[in-house]
């Protein structure tokens, strides 16, 4: 009989079930003439006998975890992987014959849903105890993001709050893979199946689906953000210029209250607004009027989305599942670089780690106090110890850990205290081997996927949501904007689609721009970056660059920023970009000054922005901005606040999605 499950296992699926090194070694052994003798019993059991003695046995209707081998390995070994590859190569030919029938290509696209499994099937594979544990989670409710199989990625997957579950073989539960630890694997697999089942029942059949599963029915009215919305309105009326420490304290108190009620995304927005006020009060470069305005709009947007019937799932808008954590099984992570930030008294570092098995990026955060009158740069931090190694090693290596703990916000902890539980090795070719969910080779296709996401003001505040490795075929130009202290480059993929790579100077990473410019001049093969759409283009904010000489992490680079960089050519923005920039700047200036304190100059800037938008054909945006300008001249400040919010949100979404 033909074992369709074995034929369906792709190299990526085998790598997820074991590791990519084993798959490569097994394939190399077969290519060198070390193929085993393969026999298929009447019940479908596959037996592979290797010339050097080991015998691998693959029983039917179960996954590779139930496979056995007579070698000394205690887990999935190269002989088991070699048995699968050998079976795929010879098809269903009887062992000992000369026939070498080529099977259907592994991983061929099959349109199927894991929701087809009923509870009886789940109980047979995972046990009643797993179903009982999953029912407790179902009663509380949980969020899920489902990716259905496509030609580009034939493996359906479910992103649950604290792990990812992938169904590697169609219609088979024995090949479910998750990054959760073994103790939670069965429960997570059941929850993933139930999420697909709920989506199927609701008719949510798109390739990328977000939904809430189970839990109590949400109240018909109210988001729970009403006090936070009132604070945001008060701050909009007063403006950052006239806000005092009392308002920053009130914002932090409100954020703690929201966190206590598991409303994590708006709580994070309030904390960031408070940080913006601190930045303005201390004349810190961290304060950005446009960012301040976007955060105020975000609080309102999340409130609106949460109370809108038929809108985004509440958990995706409010972050109600963000706090949970799940210990991971033995996990292999590939470093994608590091971002250094912070304030005058505090320095932060975020190490970005690709999790190939789950197809997501995780973030390892750290922070340090900056001693008085001291300078603590990214290069100074590079040698600091983290989880038994250095920040530099973590940001540039392959990490293997048996103690990692992942949160719903995609942060990761590497607990210490157990010797040898986390190891770091050189990165090597790990970036080139990343799955398609993490490696971007086609900028146009990835840009289309970003455009299909919900707008940024109501998206989950998930760490590293759009951090990717991008393959670079050509660096077409590099230039420095002295006024903005920003280095920009135009890069292209193999098809010629371009994106803008941009990095801005910061005093706590003074050598970053110099290191980045040198790396871009050294024939880069890949760049890891936070990717987003801005003004109709893809914008890459680089974290690390892989050149022939190795990995360059600009934020950890030495130097004082004294290198003279070539000036940017100074191309003028297109009319659409210029009009949107002008309108966003006018709205940001109004929020900065406060709607109760706008000057005639601000009102005139709003009117000019409306006229410019109308002139390029953005009539709805122009109407929203003009309505805001009219409300500024009235005597109802709350009407002006509502009009500002309408205009700001329309402009933000237009700038992102145009």
């Amino acid at each position: 009989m033909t074992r369709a499950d074995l034929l369906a296992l792709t190299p990526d699926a085998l790598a997820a079930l074991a590791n990519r090194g084993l798959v490569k070694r097994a394939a190399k052994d077969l290519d060198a003439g070390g193929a085993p003798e393969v026999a298929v019993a009447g019940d479908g059991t596959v037996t592979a006998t290797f010339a050097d003695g080991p015998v691998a046995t693959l029983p039917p209707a179960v996954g590779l975890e139930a496979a056995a081998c007579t070698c000394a390995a205690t887990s999935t070994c190269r002989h088991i992987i070699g048995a699968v590859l050998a079976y795929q190569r010879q098809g269903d030919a009887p062992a000992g014959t000369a026939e070498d029938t080529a099977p259907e290509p592994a991983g061929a696209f099959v349109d199927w849903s894991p929701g087809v499994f009923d509870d009886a099937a789940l109980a047979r594979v995972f046990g009643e105890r797993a179903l009982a544990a999953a029912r407790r989670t179902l009663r509380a409710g949980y969020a899920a993001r489902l990716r259905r199989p496509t030609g580009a990625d034939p493996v359906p997957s479910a992103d649950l709050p604290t792990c990812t579950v992938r169904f590697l073989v169609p219609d088979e539960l024995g090949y479910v893979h998750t990054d959760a630890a073994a103790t939670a694997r069965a429960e997570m697999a059941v929850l993933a199946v139930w999420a697909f089942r709920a989506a199927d029942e609701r008719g949510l059949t798109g390739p990328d689906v977000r939904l809430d599963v189970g839990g109590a029915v949400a109240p018909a009215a109210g988001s729970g953000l009403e006090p936070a919305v009132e604070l945001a309105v008060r701050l909009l009326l007063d403006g950052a210029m006239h806000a005092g420490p009392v308002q920053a304290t009130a914002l932090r108190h409100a954020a703690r209250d929201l966190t206590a009620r598991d409303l994590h995304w708006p709580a994070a927005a309030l904390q960031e607004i408070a940080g913006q006020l601190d930045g303005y009060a201390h004349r810190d470069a961290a304060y950005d009027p446009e960012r301040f305005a976007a955060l105020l709009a975000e609080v309102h947007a999340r409130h609106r989305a949460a109370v809108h019937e038929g809108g985004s799932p509440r958990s995706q808008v409010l972050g109600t599942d963000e706090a949970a954590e799940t210990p991971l099984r033995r996990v292999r992570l590939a470093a994608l670089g590091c971002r250094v930030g912070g304030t005058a008294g505090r320095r932060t570092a975020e190490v970005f780690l690709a999790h190939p098995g789950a197809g997501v990026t995780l973030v390892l955060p750290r922070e340090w106090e900056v001693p008085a009158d001291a300078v603590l740069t990214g290069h100074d931090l590079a040698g600091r110890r983290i989880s038994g190694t250095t920040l530099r090693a973590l940001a540039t290596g392959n990490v293997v850990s048996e103690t990692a703990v992942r949160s719903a916000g995609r942060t990761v902890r590497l607990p210490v205290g157990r010797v040898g539980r986390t190891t770091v090795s050189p990165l090597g070719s790990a970036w080139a081997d990343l799955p398609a969910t993490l490696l971007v080779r086609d900028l146009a296709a990835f840009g289309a996927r970003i455009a299909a996401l919900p707008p940024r003001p109501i998206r989950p505040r998930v760490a590293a949501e759009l951090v990717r490795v991008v393959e670079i075929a050509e660096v077409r130009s590099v230039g420095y904007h002295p006024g903005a202290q920003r280095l920009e480059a135009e890069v292209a993929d193999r098809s010629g689609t371009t994106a803008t790579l941009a990095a801005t100077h910061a005093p706590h990473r003074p050598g970053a721009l110099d290191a980045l410019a040198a790396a871009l001049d050294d024939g880069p093969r890949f760049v890891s970056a936070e990717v987003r759409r801005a003004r109709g283009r893809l914008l890459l904010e680089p974290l690390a660059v892989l050149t022939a000489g190795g990995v360059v992490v600009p934020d950890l680079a030495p130097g004082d920023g004294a290198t003279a960089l070539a000036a940017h050519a100074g191309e003028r923005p297109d009319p659409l970009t210029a009009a949107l920039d002008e309108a966003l700047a006018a709205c940001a200036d109004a929020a900065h000054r406060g709607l109760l304190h706008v000057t005639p100059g601000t009102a005139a800037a709003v009117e000019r922005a409306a006229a410019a938008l109308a002139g390029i054909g953005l009539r709805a945006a122009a109407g929203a901005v003009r309505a805001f300008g009219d409300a500024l001249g009235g005597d109802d400040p709350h009407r002006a606040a509502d009009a500002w919010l309408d205009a700001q949100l329309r402009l933000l979404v237009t700038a992102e999605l145009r």
Side-chain angles (χ1 to χ4, degrees), residues 23 193 219 230 248 253 312 332 388 556 559 606:
V23 177
V193 169
E230 290 181 12
H253 281 311
S312 299
R332 297 173 180 270
L556 302 182
V606 170

Side-chain angles (χ1 to χ4, degrees), residues 428-447:
S429 62
W431 285 9
D433 294 331
L434 290 175
T437 52
L438 294 172
L439 176 58
V440 176
R441 299 185 187 274
D442 185 337
L443 288 170
F446 188 68

Side-chain angles (χ1 to χ4, degrees), residues 186-225:
E187 178 188 351
M188 297 300 131
V190 172
L191 292 173
V193 169
W194 286 348
F196 273 101
R197 188 188 300 170
D200 295 344
E201 291 171 351
R202 299 176 199 176
L204 304 175
T205 58
D208 193 337
V209 175
R210 299 170 187 261
L211 75 162
D212 288 335
V213 186
V217 177
S223 66
L225 303 184

Side-chain angles (χ1 to χ4, degrees), residues 117-501:
F117 298 114
D118 59 20
D119 285 0
L122 294 175
R124 283 195 300 271
V125 176
F126 301 115
E128 289 291 351
R129 181 174 297 180
L131 264 72
R135 289 189 185 103
R136 290 193 291 270
T137 301
L138 181 67
R139 285 193 293 271
Y142 62 98
R145 180 180 182 182
L146 310 180
R147 293 181 176 87
R148 297 188 182 274
T150 64
D153 184 0
V155 176
S157 65
D159 285 339
L160 301 179
T162 55
C163 71
T164 300
V165 181
R166 304 176 70 221
F167 298 85
L168 302 177
V169 175
D171 301 314
E172 292 284 351
L173 284 174
Y175 296 92
V176 174
H177 176 265
T178 175
D179 51 347
T183 54
R185 174 182 179 274
E187 178 188 351
M188 297 300 131
V190 172
L191 292 173
V193 169
W194 286 348
F196 273 101
R197 188 188 300 170
D200 295 344
E201 291 171 351
R202 299 176 199 176
L204 304 175
T205 58
D208 193 337
V209 175
R210 299 170 187 261
L211 75 162
D212 288 335
V213 186
V217 177
S223 66
L225 303 184
E226 288 76 11
V229 169
E230 290 181 12
L231 280 175
V233 170
R234 184 72 256 172
L235 187 54
L236 175 60
L237 295 177
D238 290 342
M241 285 182 64
H242 302 92
V246 173
Q247 282 174 296
T249 300
L251 287 167
R252 290 191 168 94
H253 281 311
R256 285 194 291 270
D257 177 65
L258 294 179
T259 299
R261 292 187 285 125
D262 290 338
L263 305 176
H264 296 284
W265 304 152
L270 292 186
Q271 289 282 14
E272 197 173 343
I273 293 171
Q276 287 286 311
L277 293 182
D278 291 344
Y280 179 74
H282 295 95
R283 301 299 186 265
D284 194 302
Y287 174 71
D288 178 357
E290 291 200 15
R291 181 60 183 161
F292 175 70
L295 289 166
L296 291 178
E298 179 183 338
V299 175
H300 290 271
R302 292 189 185 278
H303 167 69
R304 286 184 176 184
V307 300
H308 177 62
E309 185 176 355
S312 299
R314 284 174 61 89
S315 63
Q316 299 293 322
V317 173
L318 303 180
T320 53
D321 292 314
E322 190 271 342
E325 289 187 331
T326 293
L328 303 181
R329 60 191 295 180
R330 189 172 190 267
V331 64
R332 297 173 180 270
L333 308 171
L336 302 182
C338 177
R339 171 74 72 233
V340 174
T343 63
R346 183 173 57 92
R347 194 69 68 241
T348 62
E350 294 178 313
V351 179
F352 295 85
L353 300 164
H355 185 351
V360 299
T361 302
L362 305 176
V363 179
L364 175 67
R366 281 292 187 273
E367 66 176 62
W368 298 266
E369 295 295 325
V370 179
D373 301 323
V375 176
L376 193 62
T377 68
H379 181 60
D380 297 328
L381 296 176
R384 294 288 180 97
R385 304 293 293 181
I386 298 177
S387 300
T389 185
T390 64
L391 175 61
R392 180 186 293 106
L394 275 178
T396 59
N398 281 311
V399 179
V400 178
S401 177
E402 298 179 7
T403 61
V405 179
R406 169 181 163 177
S407 81
R410 294 189 186 169
T411 61
V412 65
R413 294 189 293 111
L414 300 177
V416 295
R418 300 183 67 182
V419 176
R421 305 295 282 183
T422 298
T423 59
V424 180
S425 59
L427 188 64
S429 62
W431 285 9
D433 294 331
L434 290 175
T437 52
L438 294 172
L439 176 58
V440 176
R441 299 185 187 274
D442 185 337
L443 288 170
F446 188 68
R449 288 200 293 274
I450 294 179
L453 294 174
R456 283 174 62 89
I458 60 170
R459 280 216 298 270
R461 278 178 161 256
V462 174
E465 178 191 20
L466 291 175
V467 169
R468 298 290 188 274
V469 170
V470 179
E471 185 178 38
I472 300 299
E474 180 185 5
V475 178
R476 294 188 174 179
S477 65
V478 180
Y480 179 64
H481 295 269
Q485 294 186 296
R486 184 175 68 253
L487 184 74
E488 285 192 4
E490 185 181 77
V491 297
D493 63 13
R494 294 178 183 177
S495 64
T497 303
T498 61
T500 299
L501 185 148

